[in-house]
């Protein structure tokens, strides 16, 4: 485990759902000389190793999180872009039962809920 990898993991642990530029800024607070490419490479390696999850809500830049051990979903604010985790339904997970799996063995489903966050909703009242 290298210092850049540890710094990226720490940044994502403390700031879930951030984009690459934010990760770079957070890592540079600890390691000022780390390059953009190093952070991109670390994010790719951690994603490939399934230590980090990359999410890409429609129309938004890719975001990263360290919550990878479960099948959870996300809610995205249409106004400000805030993202929060949404746990999958307890018990049987209907989102993992496709009406026709076409022979695939399904192990994950991506569900994105869209709406307006509390902060943006208050501004509209």
């Amino acid at each position: 485990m290298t210092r850049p990898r540890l710094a990226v993991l720490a940044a994502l642990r403390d700031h879930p759902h951030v984009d690459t530029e934010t990760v770079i800024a957070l890592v540079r607070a600890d390691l000022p000389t780390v390059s953009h490419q190093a952070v991109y490479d670390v994010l790719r390696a951690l994603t490939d190793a399934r230590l980090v999850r990359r999410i890409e809500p429609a129309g938004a830049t890719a975001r990263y999180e360290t919550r990878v051990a479960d099948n959870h979903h996300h809610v995205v604010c249409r106004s400000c872009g805030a993202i929060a985790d949404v746990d999958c339904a307890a018990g049987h997970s209907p989102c993992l039962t496709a009406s026709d799996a076409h022979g695939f063995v399904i192990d994950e489903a991506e569900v994105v809920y869209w709406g307006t966050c509390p902060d943006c909703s208050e501004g509209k009242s």
Side-chain angles (χ1 to χ4, degrees):
M1 213 21 114
T2 63
R3 286 190 70 207
R5 286 184 183 191
L6 291 172
V8 167
L9 283 170
L12 294 175
R13 181 195 63 231
D14 296 339
H15 305 277
H17 309 125
V18 292
D19 61 17
T20 306
E21 292 304 314
T22 303
V23 174
I24 291 168
L26 291 166
V27 169
R28 283 189 171 165
D30 184 39
L31 301 172
T33 60
V34 73
S35 70
H36 277 74
Q37 190 61 50
V39 173
Y40 281 107
D41 291 346
V42 167
L43 286 169
R44 186 177 315 107
L46 293 174
T47 301
D48 289 348
R50 295 184 176 219
L51 296 172
V52 166
R53 182 176 178 191
R54 176 185 167 118
I55 59 171
E56 295 183 65
T61 59
R63 307 290 183 96
Y64 296 88
E65 65 181 348
T66 57
R67 185 176 171 186
V68 296
D70 64 352
N71 184 51
H72 71 279
H73 309 300
H74 298 94
V75 60
V76 181
C77 179
R78 291 185 187 278
S79 182
C80 70
I83 299 175
D85 291 335
V86 176
D87 289 333
C88 197
H92 173 72
S93 300
C95 59
L96 291 178
T97 306
S99 60
D100 183 351
H102 300 279
F104 285 70
V105 176
I106 297 173
D107 61 18
E108 182 178 6
E110 287 188 28
V111 175
V112 178
Y113 301 95
W114 293 88
T116 306
C117 73
D119 290 340
C120 292
S121 293
E122 286 178 16
K124 292 182 179 181
S125 327

